[in-house]
Amino acid sequence: MSLSSDTLDAAANFEGAAEIIAAWYAGMAPEPALLVSDWADRHRMLGSRGSAEPGPWRTSRTPYLRQIMDVLSPTHPARRVVLMKGAQVGGTECGNNWVGYVIQHAPGPMLAVQPTTELAKRFSEQRIDPLVEETPAIRERVAPARSRDSGNRQLSKEFPGGQLVMTGANSAVGLRSMSARFLFLDEIDAYPGDVEGEGDPVALAEARARTFGWRRKTLLVSTPTTTGVSRIEREYLATNQQRYFVPCPFCGHMQSLRFARLIWVRGQPDTARYHCEACDGGIGEQHKTALLAHGQWRPTAAAKDPYAIGFHLSALYSPVGWFSWAQAARDWEAAQGDAGALKTFHNTVLGDTWQERGDAPDYERLIERREPMVPGLVPNGAVALTAGVDNQSAPARLEVYVWAWGPGYESWLVHHERIEGSPADPGPWDALAALLGRSWERLDGGQLRIAKVGVDTGGNHTAGVYTQLRRLRDPRLVPLKGIEGWNRSSPVTGPTLVDVTEAGRKLKRGLNLWTVAVSTYKLDLYRRLWLSRGDGIGYPQGWVHLPDWLDGSLVKQLVAEQLVTHKTRNGFARNEWRKLRDNEALDCAVYARAALAVLGSDRYGERFWAIMGSQIVVPKPEAALPVLPARPGNAVRLRPRQRVRSSIMD
């Protein structure tokens, strides 16, 4: 039955009919094809909690972010977007804007991964919660957290048509908990190399998106770390490697900003000017806003993956008021002579990887700089003792090195001992137990005990070492397993329970085993061994004190490996350690450093050294006693020395 136009007109002839019809047409109209940057300019609000410039989002403030955001839009064919960046360029906000866009405009399952679960919780509280609360377009789609069954939890935000789940790269369960069309992988250079024995966390996360085929999107963001180790560098090199080109205000030449062209009078960073590579004109900070507004992204390489797009941003592009060229010059001058500070500058300011000095320090120089020290006597600056134990088969023995530690990781080698016997037999371990029962005296008379011992469980005697460690049951003994990789956020992980054979019986989960990324601590030791005293007054932070009683052959063992870079089959650079000679001293130094981390040095920071120092009781000098006649019964009984606690765990 068809209706005439008169009938339709009559049916629509009532109060409010026009509004209903308009709403019906609006509901039937397709959603506008918004790009992520358009959405951010239209809807995103920045609050005072997480932004130095609260108010509406303005992409014009950071125009270099527009294309990065737009390639994340569903209409763009890119599937993998890589951003290798310095600090203070607004890069992470691209991901936050993308999250808001997905919630309000392109709903679907989304997984956001931070380096650790704790950082994921912090990301939720400091980034996502303000994003939801301060942006009305999102707030109306995510129920308040106080509502029962609202779907708004700390690590999970539900919204119509999708869900945002946040997890840490250190959680295999979190990485495989759901399928996701959108992946936001933040600070990937801080991800562990292997998550709970299940493989690379980036690969595990990307496996969650395979079922979405060509519709999936992955954003990988990070400041880089070390050449040949950096994940974000590897991902960026597989893309078209785009850089942001800006025009010279004097000659119009387009160029990407390079730190080598930033020139200033030494000692006067405020004179910093960027010199054009074509006309050599000095570009001042006042030109930066116009430069950024007229810039454009240009590829500098052919992508191996046609669906992968990579962007590189340094802090030199930071808009006026965020990070100035004068500040870059000031930071560069302040970092001179400090390898750690230079590395930080390259990573966080320039957005570039740092080429580590992996060549072994000259052992002859180390032999010459040995210091007069009494074997077994602890210097006054030390507040903690740890040991490293390496088990060897030819000849069968335990190598034991005891290291003293002070604030800033200043260290002294105070004892070396070789304990003969098979590591699978009780004898060497009983001798080690006797060593652990010893008190160590400081120059000022204070007493310390060895707080933790890192014990190598690899080699040909793993089962026997497990058995003996379980037999001793000393909580200071830390069973260690060295692993490959460069886990800089947490080089020591664990413990995990492993099986142990005792008296012929297999005990399930009978021993706690820790894993240590030995490459990280080897490089840290080499960096400290390369330190120079400069003017010779005092010692640099982290100085390694080697005693004059240490044999030259053992000094050579301490620098027995060299870091080399080679190309993999895929053409990527990879760093690995190459053994030059016997390396027991180097291994034991790494195990002693790992034991210090288990004790809490990396976790507590400066507070750790203060706590350890407060636990050392230095005997006070006795007050002068009156001279008494030598009569029976006038003997004076002195107070016994108090027992000293040497472990933060006590």
Side-chain angles (χ1 to χ4, degrees), residues 216-243:
R216 67 185 186 270
K217 290 272 188 182
T218 300
L219 172 63
L220 303 101
V221 181
S222 188
T223 51
T225 50
T226 305
T227 302
V229 175
S230 172
R231 273 196 181 89
I232 198 69
E233 177 195 42
R234 180 185 66 209
E235 300 291 350
Y236 176 73
L237 293 177
T239 70
N240 58 1
Q241 302 175 38
Q242 295 196 36
R243 291 183 177 265

Side-chain angles (χ1 to χ4, degrees), residues 168-191:
N170 61 341
S171 171
V173 173
L175 292 175
R176 62 169 184 262
S177 61
M178 60 174 286
S179 294
R181 178 184 175 187
F182 305 113
L183 297 175
F184 176 20
L185 310 182
D186 196 17
E187 291 301 336
I188 65 173
D189 268 23
Y191 288 8

Side-chain angles (χ1 to χ4, degrees), residues 283-298:
I283 305 171
E285 191 83 14
Q286 71 274 13
H287 296 106
K288 188 184 286 187
T289 300
L291 297 185
L292 299 180
H294 295 90
Q296 57 184 234
W297 286 101
R298 294 181 178 180

Side-chain angles (χ1 to χ4, degrees), residues 128-169:
I128 300 303
D129 286 347
L131 174 68
V132 172
E133 294 167 6
E134 294 158 0
T135 306
I138 304 175
R139 187 170 61 240
E140 64 187 17
R141 293 176 177 265
V142 179
R146 61 180 177 272
S147 301
R148 178 176 295 181
D149 300 327
S150 67
N152 184 346
R153 293 175 288 275
Q154 185 177 34
L155 294 178
S156 176
K157 310 292 182 185
E158 294 181 5
F159 48 88
Q163 180 183 21
L164 169 66
V165 172
M166 291 155 281
T167 188

Side-chain angles (χ1 to χ4, degrees), residues 475-619:
R476 293 177 294 171
L477 294 172
V478 181
L480 296 174
K481 176 185 178 182
I483 58 173
E484 297 298 326
W486 300 78
N487 190 344
R488 296 176 184 274
S489 59
S490 53
V492 181
T493 56
T496 57
L497 289 168
V498 295
D499 299 341
V500 178
T501 301
E502 188 175 87
R505 295 184 303 112
K506 186 174 183 179
L507 302 177
K508 289 285 188 180
R509 301 162 63 86
L511 186 73
N512 284 322
L513 180 67
W514 299 74
T515 58
V516 53
V518 294
S519 294
T520 301
Y521 285 144
K522 287 177 182 177
L523 199 55
D524 174 71
L525 174 63
Y526 274 26
R527 187 182 298 120
R528 293 188 292 119
L529 287 173
W530 272 113
L531 291 174
S532 172
R533 293 189 63 182
D535 57 11
I537 301 175
Y539 293 99
Q541 182 171 318
W543 184 266
V544 181
H545 298 267
L546 299 178
D548 55 0
W549 51 260
L550 186 65
D551 186 78
S553 62
L554 299 181
V555 176
K556 292 177 66 174
Q557 286 190 16
L558 198 61
V559 289
E561 296 185 20
Q562 183 169 324
L563 187 66
V564 297
T565 304
H566 67 91
K567 295 288 187 179
T568 65
R569 293 180 179 178
N570 296 328
F572 296 117
R574 176 184 174 87
N575 288 348
E576 66 178 23
W577 290 94
R578 181 171 298 168
K579 185 175 177 181
L580 304 175
R581 61 185 77 90
D582 290 342
N583 63 347
E584 290 89 342
L586 173 60
D587 287 343
C588 287
V590 168
Y591 302 145
R593 175 63 180 86
L596 191 70
V598 174
L599 190 61
S601 65
D602 298 346
R603 185 167 62 255
Y604 293 101
E606 292 299 324
R607 181 167 163 252
F608 170 82
W609 305 110
I611 292 174
M612 297 301 294
S614 68
Q615 293 178 351
I616 298 175
V617 178
V618 178

Side-chain angles (χ1 to χ4, degrees), residues 12 32 48 89 105 119 127 141 152-153 187 216 227 255-256 280 296 356 388 408 470 514 560 589 620 631:
S48 58
V89 294
H105 194 74
L119 289 176
R127 296 286 190 172
R141 293 176 177 265
N152 184 346
R153 293 175 288 275
E187 291 301 336
R216 67 185 186 270
T227 302
Q255 59 204 293
S256 61
D280 202 37
Q296 57 184 234
E356 292 283 7
R470 179 175 171 81
W514 299 74
K620 298 179 181 179
R631 296 178 182 175

Side-chain angles (χ1 to χ4, degrees), residues 1-23:
M1 176 181 178
S2 61
L3 297 177
S4 65
S5 60
D6 293 339
T7 304
L8 292 174
D9 291 340
N13 189 17
F14 61 89
E15 185 177 355
E19 289 79 1
I20 293 176
I21 294 173

Side-chain angles (χ1 to χ4, degrees), residues 249-295:
F250 307 118
C251 69
H253 177 72
M254 298 294 288
Q255 59 204 293
S256 61
L257 299 182
R258 296 182 295 116
F259 184 66
R261 303 299 304 176
L262 189 66
I263 300 173
W264 67 95
V265 178
R266 186 66 60 187
Q268 301 178 36
D270 290 335
T271 63
R273 297 291 184 272
Y274 190 89
H275 286 249
C276 173
E277 62 186 25
C279 70
D280 202 37
I283 305 171
E285 191 83 14
Q286 71 274 13
H287 296 106
K288 188 184 286 187
T289 300
L291 297 185
L292 299 180
H294 295 90

